[in-house]
Amino acid sequence: MEPEYRLHYAPDNASLIIRLVLEELCRPYECVLVDRRAEAQNSAAYRALNPNGLIPVLETPDGPLFETAAILLWLSERHGAMAPQPGNADRAAFLKWLVFASNTLHADLRMLFYPEKYIGDAAADQAQLQKVLRQRLHLHLTHLDQAAAGRPSWLGAPQPSVLDYYLACQMRWMALYPAQADKSWFALSRYPSLQRLCAGLESRPAVTAAREAEGLGATPFTSPAYANPPEGSAT
């Protein structure tokens, strides 16, 4: 079957979320490995697709898309799946939490992982920023756990939504990164509704396909391990 999409990815990057959703939708796609060690994301060819030089990019019949939430929203609407559609009474609640996951949760994660990009190289300043961010992230997850407790159709329901996969990947990263930092602040068990969400996803065929492609191990969300091989394979 001719690929419908082309996903520019790096293992265990935000592109993992898009891969999982494409697998869940059963859409034909091909992958292009972005070699971060060689800074391929800063090449002229890649910047032509995403001038911000960030991963992922999804090439579509409507042109290249970037920004994780935008890609997820576009895919859910194009295929009429994995999210409440326009006109559905659950649409407003879904949208506010999807944007929260992108603009608040994911933004705070980026600052936690890359503090030097925001406040410079002073170790004491970075440590203080990360302390504040860990407190903020705990509060964010507490709010999300409360939202998931009622098992709405768009968060932790038997049929996964794009938001489910977005959150599961972010919680995976909280457990693993930054690689050398103390990560004892994060325990998935503190958020029982989100833990249930993550455990439920791990039995999905889409997760099996993605974890095999990127070497993520048997329990990529509930007990994650680093990607192996770390740069994955374009095939």
Side-chain angles (χ1 to χ4, degrees):
M1 184 180 296
E2 187 72 16
E4 186 174 5
Y5 300 112
R6 173 179 285 183
L7 176 63
H8 296 259
Y9 87 105
D12 220 4
N13 205 278
S15 52
L16 172 60
I17 305 159
I18 309 305
R19 183 195 289 273
L20 286 161
V21 168
L22 290 171
E23 290 288 347
E24 191 71 49
L25 291 170
C26 299
R27 308 311 304 182
Y29 69 99
E30 62 180 346
C31 287
V32 179
L33 181 65
V34 181
D35 188 345
R36 297 180 68 192
R37 292 177 180 172
E39 296 193 359
Q41 71 272 21
N42 293 322
S43 68
Y46 192 81
R47 291 274 182 165
L49 298 172
N50 183 352
N52 301 306
L54 297 175
I55 302 167
V57 167
L58 184 69
E59 294 190 66
T60 80
D62 291 346
L65 297 180
F66 54 85
E67 294 297 327
T68 301
I71 298 171
L72 294 176
L73 195 57
W74 186 89
L75 285 171
S76 70
E77 291 185 0
R78 178 177 175 85
H79 298 290
M82 298 190 69
Q85 297 301 298
N88 188 304
D90 290 336
R91 179 76 170 178
F94 162 75
L95 286 175
K96 72 181 181 183
W97 286 112
L98 177 66
V99 174
F100 177 83
S102 176
N103 286 13
T104 303
L105 184 65
H106 203 161
D108 280 355
L109 271 183
R110 281 189 56 81
M111 285 191 284
L112 179 69
F113 297 161
Y114 308 108
E116 71 282 359
K117 294 181 181 291
Y118 298 89
I119 60 169
D121 296 328
D125 292 343
Q126 291 184 15
Q128 180 60 30
L129 175 62
Q130 290 176 318
K131 178 181 178 180
V132 172
L133 287 168
R134 292 184 185 109
Q135 294 169 346
R136 282 172 53 88
L137 288 164
H138 169 61
L139 186 60
H140 299 338
L141 292 176
T142 298
H143 292 328
L144 283 161
D145 193 65
Q146 292 167 351
R151 301 194 181 196
S153 63
W154 42 269
L155 185 59
Q159 186 62 34
S161 72
V162 295
L163 180 57
D164 289 338
Y165 279 121
Y166 199 172
L167 295 176
C169 288
Q170 290 186 82
M171 287 183 284
R172 166 185 169 79
W173 300 330
M174 288 180 213
L176 292 175
Y177 304 108
Q180 305 305 321
D182 178 12
K183 292 175 282 292
S184 60
W185 70 274
F186 175 78
L188 184 58
S189 59
R190 298 178 69 181
Y191 317 103
S193 296
L194 296 178
Q195 184 178 41
R196 169 180 51 79
L197 181 158
C198 288
L201 291 177
E202 287 181 338
S203 63
R204 306 283 304 177
V207 175
T208 299
R211 65 180 178 80
E212 290 179 354
E214 299 194 15
L216 303 180
T219 52
F221 305 132
T222 59
S223 185
Y226 294 112
N228 181 30
E231 289 300 328
S233 168
T235 58

